[in-house]
Amino acid sequence: MNLLNLPEIKSLSYLTSDAKLLFATRIVRLFAYGIISVVLALYLAQLGFDEGHIGLLLSLTLAGDVIVSLWITTNADRIGRRRMLILGAGLMILAGLVFSIAETFIVLTVVAIIGTISPSGNEVGPFLAIEQAGLTQTIPDTHRTQIFAWYNLVGSLATAFGALVGGGTVQLLQTVGIPSLTSYRIVLLVYALLGGLLVMLFRQISTTVEVKNLPLPTANTTLGLSKSRGIVFRLSALFALDAFGGAFVIQSLVAYWFYVRFGVDIATIGAIFFGANIFAGLSALAAARIASRIGLINTMVFTHIPSNILLMLVPLMPNLPLAVLVLLARFSISQMDVPTRQSYVMAVVDPTERSAAAGVTGIARTIGATLSPVISGAMMRAGFLSLPFFVAGALKITYDLALYRSFRRLKTPEEKKD
């Protein structure tokens, strides 16, 4: 078989120069998020905060993201997508710099609310929504899901290498005699520098990604949505439930769980999440092939349920190798719903409302995730170290069943043609 003839490979030929730049910004950003995700909770513990305070700060980080991202994404089509992406990168620089020097809970909390920093290794801030809209505008509908799969694959790979580099850097610095606190702060400064690189890349994107002939807001416009408002709000409610469940086991807290449960060092934790994110990225690429056969909604649901069952099995494993094995198995199918979900939203909303639709659904996910880390932290502090895994799995399976019931009959334009 000639690999170049595979649909997934051929779809890359449709990438324009702007699309390639958006792929590059995705790689830089997710690498930065990966660096932070494996060290953030441990850094906060090093500063003297207990599990409750760590969970609260992580929750407030996500809460601040809601406020900032909602305004940026719902105004991006009107003010300019490139301008808003540059603003988001500036907020990354702010967060990295202040976190690297501040020690008091109140200062860290304020910056976590205002700035952009990822405790999960996943997307935060306004970037994903605006990039999705711009990317969709530059590619054919028939290749949208495949390109979104590649977009998620490179992001997962970048997160994986970021986790490996973040954990490895801290371990190396401490091995050569650098104090623990200083080693974490060096990683945070790297995060700020990567935010600066994003600013430069976003400045290179052309006006092709901007909305043309944007209609004026009407009395029926809410959060930048008019024609697509109903479906976006229904999807948002479901996505919020999924994110609420998932945030019980964000990557920072899972890293902390491995540290407490098995006494794993930071370099090994980084290696674990390197492997996990590699598997997650490959699962995203496989999603496009499956979706072409059974549809986007079916792919989202039928791969997500087994993934969440595996999630609940992780804390039941009696030793580290088995726990890592089940975690990797879970990640090998965990991200198949991501490119399919993104592609589905872009397909079923009005083209002039894509940034707002992606923004509102993304914000709904962030709102859903806001309270979970503080609850998860409280569970851990109370001695129920593994309970968050079971709560997360149950909530996410509930989301899967509700999504299937509500949207299995609503097809995208390309699915209707088939």
Side-chain angles (χ1 to χ4, degrees):
M1 177 185 295
N2 186 352
L3 294 178
L4 296 178
N5 290 328
L6 291 174
E8 292 85 358
I9 303 296
K10 292 176 68 175
S11 66
L12 294 175
S13 65
Y14 291 92
L15 291 178
T16 64
S17 58
D18 286 319
K20 292 174 183 176
L21 277 171
L22 291 173
F23 267 61
T25 59
R26 168 85 166 170
I27 291 169
V28 171
R29 186 171 64 255
L30 270 293
F31 180 80
Y33 291 168
I35 286 177
I36 290 297
S37 66
V38 297
V39 305
L40 185 57
L42 296 173
Y43 171 61
L44 296 173
Q46 188 72 34
L47 288 175
F49 302 133
D50 62 20
E51 292 94 335
H53 281 91
I54 292 172
L56 177 60
L57 194 145
L58 297 182
S59 284
L60 291 174
T61 299
L62 297 171
D65 179 58
V66 171
I67 300 168
V68 175
S69 296
L70 183 61
W71 182 83
I72 290 178
T73 55
T74 55
N75 287 280
D77 289 346
R78 179 174 57 86
I79 297 176
R81 291 172 176 171
R82 292 177 302 162
R83 291 176 181 175
M84 291 307 193
L85 288 169
I86 291 171
L87 174 60
L91 295 175
M92 278 183 64
I93 298 172
L94 172 68
L97 289 176
V98 177
F99 262 72
S100 68
I101 59 176
E103 296 187 2
T104 60
F105 185 79
I106 185 65
V107 172
L108 291 170
T109 300
V110 170
V111 174
I113 292 172
I114 298 173
T116 300
I117 196 164
S118 175
S120 63
N122 297 324
E123 283 280 12
V124 295
F127 305 105
L128 181 62
I130 301 173
E131 285 185 355
Q132 283 177 12
L135 190 59
T136 301
Q137 201 157 297
T138 68
I139 57 179
D141 288 344
T142 52
H143 294 277
R144 185 184 57 253
T145 303
Q146 293 165 338
I147 290 175
F148 271 38
W150 282 108
Y151 177 77
N152 282 277
L153 171 60
V154 299
S156 292
L157 294 176
T159 303
F161 280 101
L164 188 66
V165 170
T169 299
V170 169
Q171 189 76 25
L172 177 62
L173 291 172
Q174 292 178 8
T175 300
V176 299
I178 302 296
S180 297
L181 205 56
T182 303
S183 68
Y184 290 122
R185 286 174 167 164
I186 290 172
V187 172
L188 287 160
L189 285 173
V190 172
Y191 180 84
L193 290 172
L194 291 170
L197 176 58
L198 278 178
V199 171
M200 292 187 287
L201 289 172
F202 285 135
R203 288 174 60 88
Q204 302 302 312
I205 297 174
S206 77
T207 57
T208 303
V209 303
E210 306 288 1
V211 175
K212 307 297 189 296
N213 303 316
L214 182 68
L216 295 175
T218 67
N220 294 322
T221 301
T222 304
L223 299 176
L225 298 168
S226 178
K227 298 176 183 178
S228 310
R229 183 172 51 192
I231 188 171
V232 168
F233 285 179
R234 288 164 58 203
L235 286 168
S236 296
L238 290 169
F239 292 168
L241 173 61
D242 179 44
F244 177 65
F248 276 87
V249 286
I250 58 175
Q251 195 156 296
S252 291
L253 290 178
V254 176
Y256 183 78
W257 180 85
F258 273 105
Y259 174 77
V260 174
R261 174 72 181 273
F262 298 111
V264 183
D265 62 55
I266 184 66
T268 302
I269 292 173
I272 290 170
F273 284 103
F274 170 78
N277 285 289
I278 291 291
F279 280 111
L282 295 174
S283 77
L285 188 59
R289 178 68 66 93
I290 296 173
S292 68
R293 287 171 168 77
I294 67 173
L296 293 171
I297 291 294
N298 287 345
T299 303
M300 291 163 66
V301 174
F302 297 159
T303 62
H304 211 224
I305 290 177
S307 166
N308 293 316
I309 292 173
L310 288 168
L311 175 65
M312 292 188 285
L313 291 177
V314 171
L316 299 178
M317 296 299 104
N319 53 54
L320 176 63
L322 285 177
V324 172
L325 181 64
V326 175
L327 183 73
L328 293 178
R330 188 255 173 170
F331 270 89
S332 70
I333 55 175
S334 67
Q335 295 300 296
M336 289 187 180
D337 71 308
V338 177
T340 46
R341 181 183 71 231
Q342 295 167 351
S343 180
Y344 187 80
V345 173
M346 292 295 98
V348 297
V349 303
D350 187 89
T352 63
E353 298 176 1
R354 281 172 173 158
S355 284
V360 170
T361 53
I363 293 303
R365 292 185 62 82
T366 303
I367 292 174
T370 298
L371 289 177
S372 308
V374 70
I375 300 173
S376 189
M379 289 176 178
M380 290 180 170
R381 184 173 58 179
F384 301 102
L385 186 67
S386 298
L387 183 57
F389 288 85
F390 302 113
V391 175
L395 288 171
K396 290 170 79 64
I397 289 173
T398 301
Y399 150 78
D400 292 324
L401 298 175
L403 178 70
Y404 184 75
R405 180 181 179 183
S406 300
F407 287 95
R408 67 184 185 276
R409 293 189 178 90
L410 181 59
K411 306 296 184 182
T412 64
E414 63 269 22
E415 289 173 334
K416 291 177 182 177
K417 291 177 184 178
D418 294 339

